[in-house]
């Protein structure tokens, strides 16, 4: 048994080395001055230790247009998250609990929509948003996110699992559907709401194709687009600053992913049932 | 007490979502097919919508038409290719004989797909080959190759790591979290970081090569190495969720089965093949097909890491769609490529449902 454990440990150790050498190296480079990195990336112990150490890169990063990108991304991601979560939980409740006329037809249609990879619809969406005049606006950047049925699916699955008695008690008080939904069901569904919100926030934050196509003007660029169009070219000249920008851009999503791991996994468990 | 079914509130609740669902998913989906039948110039149509000209199937004909393909058996006569084929066939034979494949639809599908990708190498253009669009077929091949290797790279590595980290203890929790966290990196950051690892001068791997006394190697400017970098980046990025799903599946396997097998004198490898693998077969199928569908849409990695690669050898379909519609302004052609990609993805989605039914 102990032999097996050491074997396991070695597999893991090698995997971790391959997996996390890049991360450590990149973080270390981001703390070294640009002028040094133009000459050599192997200054001290192959560059794995930031010597000479500087945090100037992280400060300089904000003086370029980085702060605009962050603001744009934040606005878009927060709006997308808020509206998707709200609309998806509303629709999810109706699909799960109210036996309304037409449900047997509409819900399968929504589920069929899950099979359409929405990312690939950027051509028709582009012409559609051109005629709406919504390119280069925050609205235009987050609106397409609201049509994706993933959240509805998760919310419906979750609401189906809530016992019926919870609702029935409040009907006696004479509450209508809307009041039941807001006062009783919504607080109960917080775990599922978290799941949908985090998935949407991460998706909107890291979205690439749609902002690339839609936000053509400088001041509307999101983080991903700005990084791909600007940092890509500057990478060899200003390696430290660019890497600092990349690291800043990934911190929020990694934090959410790790901190809310439990909720996400429960959500995916609902989704793969 | 029964709750009244009030249609009014139900419609009120689903209305906002349905509006967005219809206008930003279903309508564009239909319009994509519609656009693919038009000569739709981005600029011309932006000035006047009447400039879109109906041309029937011409976009598709332009993409697909051509002549001069032959099947070249000589590419398989290199030692590496022969060994690879023998290895695949021997593995299938051994698995079949030991009844490992019997109830594992996902694994069966893997071998079929592997053979298809293997024999795809033999399709070659003749000397006087002529294509209307000389990029399209090449791109389809690249996309399938990249999707295949990325998806199964993720799946198999995820199984290995899941088995190795499926233990109690702080160390393993930290390791699991580390693997899970890479999924939070954005695709652009991922590509830029990997261009720092494998790129030209001063990248991590070239530093390592130089340290061992070799010449620097331009990974992203070579066909196979470039594809490898894209695949490595993709695997690195997407491993988290499959790994966690496999761990969840592993924990569902009752310990009694392992106990019983151990009492019967089963070896570790036997326990893996006959208990662990069947136990995760459902998740294996789910993960592999979902990963194939996801990686058929690889875009940013190939755009930013290799730029479509030497001689277009790592250009992917989504990249082609983007370039046709926004660089060349031919939205109709772009839409036609999208439709083809949708059909490929639709085929895998359909396959997923069929295989799942078979697996039950």
């Amino acid at each position: 048994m102990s032999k097996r454990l050491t074997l396991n440990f070695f597999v893991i150790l090698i995997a971790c080395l391959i997996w996390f050498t890049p991360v450590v190296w990149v973080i270390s480079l981001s703390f070294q001055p640009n002028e040094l990195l133009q000459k050599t990336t192997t200054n001290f112990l192959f560059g794995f230790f930031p010597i000479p150490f500087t945090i100037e890169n992280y400060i300089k990063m904000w003086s370029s247009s980085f702060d605009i990108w962050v603001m744009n991304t934040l606005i878009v991601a927060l709006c997308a998250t808020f509206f998707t979560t709200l609309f998806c939980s509303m629709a999810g409740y109706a699909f799960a609990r109210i036996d309304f006329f037409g449900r047997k037809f509409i819900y399968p249609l929504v589920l069929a929509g899950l099979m359409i990879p929405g990312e690939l619809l950027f051509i028709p969406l582009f012409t559609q948003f051109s005629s709406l005049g919504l390119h280069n606006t925050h609205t235009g950047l987050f609106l397409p996110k609201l049509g994706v049925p993933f959240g509805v699916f998760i919310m419906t699955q979750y609401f189906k699992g809530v016992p019926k008695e919870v609702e029935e008690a409040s009907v006696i008080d004479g509450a209508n559907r809307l009041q039941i939904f807001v006062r009783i069901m919504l607080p109960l569904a917080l775990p599922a709401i978290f799941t949908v919100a985090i998935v949407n926030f991460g998706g909107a934050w890291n979205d690439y194709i749609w902002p690339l196509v839609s936000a053509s003007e400088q001041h509307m660029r999101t983080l991903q687009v700005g990084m791909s169009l600007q940092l890509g070219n500057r990478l060899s000249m200003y390696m430290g600053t660019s890497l600092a920008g990349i690291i800043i851009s990934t911190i929020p999503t990694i934090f959410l992913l790790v901190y809310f791991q439990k909720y996400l996994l429960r959500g995916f468990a609902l989704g793969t049932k | 007490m029964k709750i009244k079914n009030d249609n009014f509130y139900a419609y009120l609740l689903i209305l906002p979502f349905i509006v967005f669902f219809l206008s930003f998913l279903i309508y564009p989906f239909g319009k994509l097919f519609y656009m693919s039948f038009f000569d739709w110039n981005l600029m011309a149509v932006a000035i006047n919508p009447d400039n879109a000209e109906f041309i029937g199937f011409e976009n598709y004909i332009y993409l697909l038409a051509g002549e001069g393909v032959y099947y070249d058996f000589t590419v398989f006569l290199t030692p590496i290719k022969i060994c690879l084929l023998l290895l695949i066939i021997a593995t299938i034979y051994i698995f079949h004989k030991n009844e490992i494949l019997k109830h594992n639809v996902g694994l069966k599908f893997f071998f079929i797909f592997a053979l298809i990708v293997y024999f795809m190498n033999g399709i070659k253009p003749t000397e006087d080959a002529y294509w209307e669009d000389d990029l399209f077929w090449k791109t389809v091949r690249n996309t399938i190759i990249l999707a295949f290797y990325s998806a199964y790279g993720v799946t198999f590595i995820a199984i290995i790591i899941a088995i190795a980290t499926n233990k109690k203890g702080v160390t393993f929790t930290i390791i699991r979290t580390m693997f899970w966290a890479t999924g939070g990196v954005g695709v652009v950051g991922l590509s830029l970081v990997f261009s720092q690892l494998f790129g030209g001068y001063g990248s991590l791997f070239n530093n390592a090569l130089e340290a061992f006394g070799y010449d620097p190697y331009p990974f992203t400017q070579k066909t196979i190495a470039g594809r490898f970098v894209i695949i490595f980046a993709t695997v690195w990025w997407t491993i988290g969720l499959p790994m966690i799903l496999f761990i969840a599946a592993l924990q569902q396997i009752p310990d009694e089965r392992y106990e019983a097998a151990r009492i019967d004198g089963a070896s570790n490898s036997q326990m893996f093949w006959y208990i662990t693998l069947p136990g995760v077969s459902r998740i294996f199928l789910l993960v592999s097909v979902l990963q194939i569908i996801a990686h058929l849409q690889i875009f940013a990695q190939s755009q930013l890491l290799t730029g479509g690669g030497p001689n277009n050898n790592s250009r992917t379909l989504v990249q082609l769609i983007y370039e046709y519609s926004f660089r060349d302004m031919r939205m109709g052609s772009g839409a036609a490529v999208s439709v083809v990609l949708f059909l490929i993805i639709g085929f895998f989605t359909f396959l997923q449902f069929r295989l799942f039914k078979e697996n039950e």
Side-chain angles (χ1 to χ4, degrees):
Chain A
M1 199 60 205
S2 70
K3 192 182 134 209
R4 210 167 157 222
L5 207 66
T6 42
L7 188 75
N8 262 323
F9 198 74
F10 271 106
V11 172
I12 285 301
L13 200 70
I14 292 164
C16 277
L17 278 180
I18 295 174
W19 233 246
F20 293 99
T21 316
V23 178
V24 174
W25 194 65
V26 165
I27 291 174
S28 157
L29 287 193
S30 76
F31 284 109
Q32 294 174 36
N34 283 325
E35 295 75 34
L36 176 79
L37 292 176
Q38 283 169 19
K39 278 181 249 131
T40 173
T41 49
T42 54
N43 188 39
F44 189 79
L45 275 178
F46 293 102
F48 278 103
F49 284 89
I51 291 172
F53 182 85
T54 171
I55 56 162
E56 215 175 75
N57 292 330
Y58 285 87
I59 299 160
K60 255 195 215 153
M61 197 58 229
W62 294 96
S63 61
S64 57
S65 40
F66 195 75
D67 48 348
I68 304 173
W69 304 343
V70 171
M71 274 316 287
N72 286 336
T73 317
L74 206 61
I75 293 170
V76 170
L78 285 178
C79 289
T81 311
F82 176 73
F83 288 113
T84 322
T85 318
L86 180 69
F87 296 155
C88 285
S89 45
M90 281 160 64
Y93 172 67
F95 283 131
R97 275 308 160 78
I98 310 177
D99 193 15
F100 60 89
F101 177 76
R103 181 175 76 163
K104 287 202 175 66
F105 168 72
I106 298 174
Y107 189 55
L109 185 77
V110 172
L111 285 190
L114 272 176
M115 280 170 241
I116 303 174
E119 285 274 286
L120 296 184
L121 292 173
F122 60 90
I123 296 178
L125 279 174
F126 182 84
T127 57
Q128 202 180 344
F129 277 69
S130 297
S131 49
L132 290 172
L134 281 174
H135 283 308
N136 292 309
T137 59
H138 292 125
T139 327
L141 285 177
F142 76 76
L143 270 186
K145 304 267 165 297
L146 306 189
V148 180
F150 171 76
V152 174
F153 175 59
I154 296 289
M155 294 309 295
T156 311
Q157 293 283 83
Y158 189 85
F159 279 125
K160 272 181 183 163
V162 177
K164 280 227 158 77
E165 291 76 25
V166 178
E167 264 182 301
E168 282 165 5
S170 61
V171 177
I172 304 167
D173 304 340
N176 66 26
R177 280 288 182 185
L178 219 53
Q179 286 163 327
I180 298 175
F181 171 66
V182 174
R183 287 202 206 131
I184 296 159
M185 294 304 263
L186 216 50
L188 274 178
L190 270 182
I193 288 175
F194 264 131
T195 311
V196 174
I198 295 158
V199 169
N200 269 295
F201 186 85
W205 185 276
N206 288 334
D207 191 19
Y208 178 50
I209 302 184
W210 176 242
L212 179 68
V213 168
S214 174
S216 49
E217 277 170 30
Q218 288 261 0
H219 70 280
M220 281 309 298
R221 280 181 182 165
T222 62
L223 260 177
Q224 303 295 320
V225 179
M227 287 190 338
S228 104
L229 295 182
Q230 248 165 309
L231 294 198
N233 299 332
R234 296 196 309 205
L235 206 53
S236 51
M237 272 298 276
Y238 304 101
M239 200 189 286
T241 338
S242 308
L243 289 176
I246 293 168
I247 288 166
I248 294 172
S249 78
T250 57
I251 285 173
T253 38
I254 288 188
F255 171 77
L256 283 179
L257 214 60
V258 172
Y259 195 77
F260 293 104
Q261 191 181 1
K262 204 175 65 190
Y263 288 112
L264 286 170
L265 293 180
R266 201 183 297 159
F268 285 119
L270 278 175
T272 55
K273 243 177 212 161
Chain B
M1 174 157 185
K2 183 125 177 36
I3 306 178
K4 205 172 61 186
N5 272 318
D6 9 32
N7 283 338
F8 171 71
Y9 286 116
Y11 290 136
L12 201 68
L13 285 169
I14 63 167
L15 186 72
F17 172 73
I18 292 295
V19 167
F20 289 115
F21 176 68
L22 290 178
S23 46
F24 298 129
L25 200 76
I26 301 299
Y27 172 73
F29 188 59
K31 196 175 179 190
L32 185 72
F33 286 85
Y34 173 80
M35 283 175 75
S36 69
F37 295 111
F38 281 83
D39 180 12
W40 190 298
N41 186 293
L42 175 60
M43 276 305 172
V45 178
I47 296 163
N48 179 6
D50 298 331
N51 282 342
E53 190 191 340
F54 182 79
I55 52 168
F57 282 95
E58 246 170 67
N59 281 325
Y60 293 98
I61 293 167
Y62 176 77
L63 284 180
L64 308 174
E67 55 184 27
V69 182
Y70 74 110
Y71 202 83
D72 183 8
F73 281 102
T74 53
V75 288
F76 298 113
L77 294 179
T78 60
I80 297 173
K81 287 267 159 67
I82 292 173
C83 287
L84 194 65
L85 184 63
L86 287 178
L87 188 76
I88 297 174
I89 291 173
T91 322
I92 295 175
Y93 178 72
I94 293 168
F95 279 16
H96 179 71
K97 215 177 162 204
N98 293 324
E99 301 202 332
I100 292 167
L101 282 181
K102 206 173 177 183
H103 300 294
N104 201 330
V105 184
L107 211 56
K108 263 188 221 164
F109 177 62
F110 163 70
F111 282 114
I112 295 169
F113 199 2
L115 286 174
I116 290 173
V117 170
Y118 180 83
F119 283 111
M120 220 164 60
N121 284 318
I123 305 170
K124 286 267 147 82
T126 49
E127 294 262 317
D128 53 349
Y130 171 72
W131 263 271
E132 296 278 342
D133 183 333
D134 48 358
L135 275 181
F136 177 73
W137 285 109
K138 204 171 196 175
T139 318
V140 171
R141 172 193 283 192
N142 294 336
T143 310
I144 290 176
I145 288 175
L146 289 177
F148 171 78
Y149 283 106
S150 312
Y152 283 105
V154 168
T155 315
F156 286 118
I157 295 174
I159 291 184
I160 294 170
I161 294 172
I163 292 171
T165 58
N166 185 21
K167 306 261 179 345
K168 288 202 175 75
V170 186
T171 333
F172 291 109
T173 314
I174 292 172
I175 291 169
R176 277 201 297 268
T177 313
M178 278 154 72
F179 279 100
W180 164 254
T182 59
V185 179
V187 69
V188 174
L190 171 91
S191 307
L192 293 179
V193 165
F194 269 76
S195 73
Q196 273 312 293
L197 301 178
F198 288 100
Y201 167 77
S203 64
L204 179 63
F205 279 79
N206 280 333
N207 285 343
L209 283 178
E210 272 178 62
F212 287 111
Y214 294 97
D215 287 334
Y217 187 79
F219 286 92
T220 51
Q221 289 157 30
K222 301 279 180 189
T223 303
I224 293 177
R227 282 181 189 159
F228 170 77
V229 174
I230 293 174
I231 293 163
F232 186 35
T234 314
V235 171
W236 189 91
W237 183 43
T238 38
I239 195 95
L241 182 61
M243 180 199 70
I244 298 279
L245 290 177
F246 277 123
I247 288 176
L250 285 174
Q251 286 169 350
Q252 304 245 311
I253 303 173
D255 280 341
E256 292 85 47
R257 275 193 219 168
Y258 288 104
E259 292 297 324
R262 203 167 285 133
I263 291 165
D264 290 343
S267 67
N268 279 341
S269 64
Q270 276 173 327
M271 282 199 271
F272 172 77
W273 292 113
Y274 296 107
I275 300 174
T276 313
L277 204 60
V280 298
S281 73
R282 190 176 162 276
I283 294 293
F284 182 87
L285 180 60
L286 180 88
V287 165
S288 52
V289 181
L290 285 183
Q291 292 286 329
I292 290 170
I293 293 172
H295 298 324
L296 283 169
Q297 305 170 38
I298 285 183
F299 169 56
Q301 292 98 309
S302 65
Q303 189 204 19
L304 295 170
L305 276 172
T306 62
N311 200 11
N312 296 313
N313 271 326
S314 60
R315 200 169 294 273
T316 64
L317 277 173
V318 181
Q319 203 179 349
L320 204 65
I321 297 169
Y322 174 71
E323 287 173 355
Y324 277 179
S325 13
F326 293 99
R327 191 195 60 197
D328 306 345
M329 312 257 171
R330 296 185 287 133
M331 298 239 127
S333 297
V337 182
S338 306
V339 169
V340 174
L341 181 54
F342 268 114
L343 291 180
I344 298 174
I345 290 173
F347 168 75
F348 280 102
T349 315
F350 166 75
L351 207 68
Q352 185 191 8
F353 285 105
R354 278 295 302 274
L355 294 177
F356 257 104
K357 222 176 255 173
E358 207 177 309
N359 208 29
E360 290 300 297

